Amino acid sequence: NINNSNTIKNTTKMNKTEKFYKLKKTIIGIDFGSSFSKFSILQANNPKEIISDFSRSSEITLQNNVAKIIGELSYKVYKNNKNCLYFEDMKIYLDPKKVTEEMNIEELEIESKFPENEKIKLKTVLKEYLRYISNEALNQINTNIEKYTKDDIKWIVTVPAIWSESGKQLMIKCSKEAGMNDIQIALEPEAATLALFNDETFINDIKANDLQKIGNRFMLIDAGGYTVDITINEILDDNKNMKQLSPPSGGPFGSMNINFEIIKIIEGIKGYLKFENSDDRKSFKLGIEEVKYTHCNNQADSEFIQISHYQSFSWISSLFGRSLNTKYGIIEYDNTYINFPRKIINTIILEQANKIIDYINLTLNVTKYKIDHIVLVGGFCNCGILVDTLQKNFPNIAFLTLLNKEK
């Protein structure tokens, strides 16, 4: 039960009551993420089980303003088809720093990544992505016996806490135009809080015992691709009903900003404003994702991190013997790999971590609440440097990090 009141009722814990078992509609929840999007299904005829094993990257290829495909294969489809537009990072266009209430948000345009300089309305891209992923969700539950339509479903779509009211209303409108007429918006940190206390692994984790005690106050930090959302709650009873002590808030402190900064450095080394072609940029981004979580931690011994480029860049050989003096330090090339000094990438990650720390301190200073725990969820919490830095800055608060809990 997610609403604007100060109490969040953990309705799914009421699974022994008739109220819970008499769902009027099957529910499908869509987490429209900056990097990845996911959907979960709670069927009216089987309300004991939530199915949530579906994930798609937040990429889309359009042809004639209609979604041809979404997810990981979008770029490949774009490369193999004429007259297509490829988009990614759609959600950052609704950053409240860029979108004001005075703007006509429905006229806001987004520029395709490939080919460049092609613009269409952001509303079209969001609507088509939601249309495609909602169709996929519907296909998962349609069988020879049961055939659902979108009107048979209660749809819930998550949005970041920091979005403006106009941004939230645009998502509602895009959802309805995508066929999801019975639509409800849920704020990401509130949805994450409820999901947390219905996760059996978490509930049975001995480290989480204190967190679940009546009267415990905890801060949940949902660290995602572009935004980091924060909320503070207090456990009210044994059913894990919660009082929201601080309304959801946050900022654009997510892990995608690391990608943007590293790409800026590479573009500076080349001496061009852009990568030579779309394959260069796309494959290099994949390389960044590979090392951001698996190789970046404070205990690593190696001086350099190799960012795989998955293919031979046409411009690699021109970099031999060259160097670039960045604000983080000097980068040099001496072989056919893209080698970044570990300290440079670590510094970029720490820059984002410090922004999160500043916001946590601001929230605690404004609310005046003493919290017992900090719970980290979301893809960015898989980064060892981020977790270590947060723990060192808040040594008197117990931490619980749920790795791979971006679902």
Side-chain angles (χ1 to χ4, degrees):
N1 180 18
I2 301 173
N3 50 45
N4 293 324
S5 69
N6 287 330
T7 301
I8 301 177
K9 291 187 176 180
N10 201 346
T11 309
T12 50
K13 296 301 292 183
M14 300 165 59
N15 55 5
K16 294 183 180 180
T17 69
E18 290 185 2
K19 178 181 179 181
F20 181 75
Y21 283 116
K22 291 184 177 179
L23 289 176
K24 292 181 179 179
K25 283 187 172 184
T26 287
I27 301 170
I28 296 179
I30 298 176
D31 179 9
F32 189 1
S34 302
S35 301
F36 287 89
S37 296
K38 308 172 192 302
F39 59 84
S40 299
I41 299 168
L42 182 64
Q43 289 187 259
N45 60 4
N46 183 24
K48 298 180 183 180
E49 182 182 6
I50 297 176
I51 307 170
S52 57
D53 295 326
F54 313 104
S55 174
R56 302 288 181 270
S57 63
S58 298
E59 306 169 68
I60 183 171
T61 290
L62 298 181
Q63 190 171 47
N64 299 323
N65 288 352
V66 175
K68 194 171 181 67
I69 192 171
I70 68 169
E72 291 80 353
L73 295 177
S74 296
Y75 179 70
K76 184 176 181 180
V77 170
Y78 157 75
K79 290 288 293 181
N80 293 330
N81 288 271
K82 295 181 179 180
N83 303 319
C84 284
L85 300 176
Y86 168 82
F87 297 88
E88 60 182 3
D89 306 338
M90 293 90 76
K91 279 181 67 175
I92 68 174
Y93 280 78
L94 290 174
D95 184 332
K97 291 183 178 179
K98 303 174 183 177
V99 176
T100 64
E101 298 296 346
E102 293 75 29
M103 292 175 59
N104 184 354
I105 196 169
E106 292 194 28
E107 297 301 318
L108 189 64
E109 290 187 321
I110 180 173
E111 184 175 323
S112 61
K113 288 292 181 182
F114 310 117
E116 295 175 358
N117 302 319
E118 294 284 342
K119 292 184 178 182
I120 65 173
K121 289 182 180 179
L122 174 63
K123 174 184 170 184
T124 300
V125 180
L126 295 177
K127 177 195 71 175
E128 284 302 304
Y129 191 93
L130 288 167
R131 183 183 66 79
Y132 199 101
I133 197 170
S134 60
N135 286 345
E136 285 201 336
L138 208 59
N139 290 338
Q140 293 290 340
I141 56 175
N142 276 337
T143 65
N144 292 330
I145 299 174
E146 291 187 273
K147 290 292 183 183
Y148 291 89
T149 69
K150 288 188 178 180
D151 286 336
D152 297 323
I153 307 296
K154 170 73 175 181
W155 300 91
I156 299 176
V157 177
T158 63
V159 299
I162 67 170
W163 273 13
S164 66
E165 188 59 33
S166 60
K168 296 169 188 173
Q169 289 302 315
L170 181 65
M171 285 297 288
I172 292 175
K173 186 160 189 175
C174 289
S175 298
K176 288 185 176 182
E177 291 187 6
M180 298 182 284
N181 292 315
D182 189 358
I183 179 70
Q184 179 178 340
I185 292 295
L187 298 183
E188 289 174 1
E190 291 184 331
T193 301
L194 292 179
L196 181 71
F197 285 94
N198 288 282
D199 184 280
E200 289 188 9
T201 303
F202 168 77
I203 293 172
N204 298 323
D205 188 339
I206 191 169
K207 295 179 182 178
N209 286 346
D210 289 341
L211 176 69
Q212 300 178 67
K213 291 180 179 178
I214 297 174
N216 181 76
R217 293 176 174 178
F218 68 95
M219 173 182 284
L220 182 132
I221 301 176
D222 184 1
Y226 187 67
T227 61
V228 173
D229 290 329
I230 292 175
T231 185
I232 300 177
N233 300 288
E234 180 180 350
I235 304 295
L236 294 180
D237 53 39
D238 288 333
N239 286 327
K240 307 302 183 295
N241 290 318
M242 289 162 271
K243 181 179 181 180
Q244 192 177 83
L245 301 179
S246 174
S249 61
F253 317 132
S255 64
M256 287 172 63
N257 295 284
I258 299 167
N259 302 26
F260 300 153
E261 197 63 41
I262 293 174
I263 287 174
K264 282 182 187 177
I265 291 175
I266 281 292
E267 290 174 340
I269 292 174
K270 288 189 60 190
Y272 300 107
L273 293 177
K274 302 289 182 183
F275 280 78
E276 284 182 7
N277 57 63
S278 53
D279 287 325
D280 283 356
R281 199 174 198 277
K282 179 66 178 175
S283 56
F284 185 67
K285 282 190 69 174
L286 291 174
I288 296 174
E289 289 298 323
E290 183 179 316
V291 305
K292 195 162 53 178
Y293 301 127
T294 58
H295 299 297
C296 291
N297 58 70
N298 289 327
Q299 289 74 42
D301 296 325
S302 59
E303 183 180 354
F304 289 93
I305 295 175
Q306 286 187 341
I307 298 184
S308 171
H309 44 70
Y310 291 88
Q311 61 187 42
S312 297
F313 285 5
S314 57
W315 46 270
I316 283 287
S317 60
S318 66
L319 298 175
F320 292 169
R322 293 185 60 185
S323 63
L324 177 71
N325 190 3
T326 75
K327 66 178 181 178
Y328 304 106
I330 296 176
I331 297 175
E332 295 183 348
Y333 276 73
D334 57 7
N335 56 38
T336 56
Y337 291 99
I338 302 179
N339 284 338
F340 266 73
R342 184 178 297 275
K343 64 180 181 180
I344 291 181
I345 294 186
N346 288 2
T347 300
I348 295 172
I349 296 173
L350 283 172
E351 218 171 57
Q352 290 304 118
N354 287 330
K355 290 179 182 178
I356 298 172
I357 289 166
D358 289 344
Y359 196 84
I360 293 172
N361 282 322
L362 175 64
T363 303
L364 294 176
N365 289 336
V366 170
T367 61
K368 306 298 182 184
Y369 287 117
K370 180 183 181 297
I371 60 173
D372 305 296
H373 288 79
I374 288 179
V375 182
L376 294 175
V377 300
F380 198 5
C381 78
N382 291 280
C383 179
I385 293 177
L386 173 66
V387 176
D388 290 347
T389 304
L390 292 178
Q391 289 177 329
K392 287 177 181 177
N393 277 269
F394 301 98
N396 298 321
I397 300 175
F399 271 75
L400 186 62
T401 304
L402 300 183
L403 298 180
N404 299 315
K405 282 299 175 188
E406 67 274 12
K407 290 184 181 181

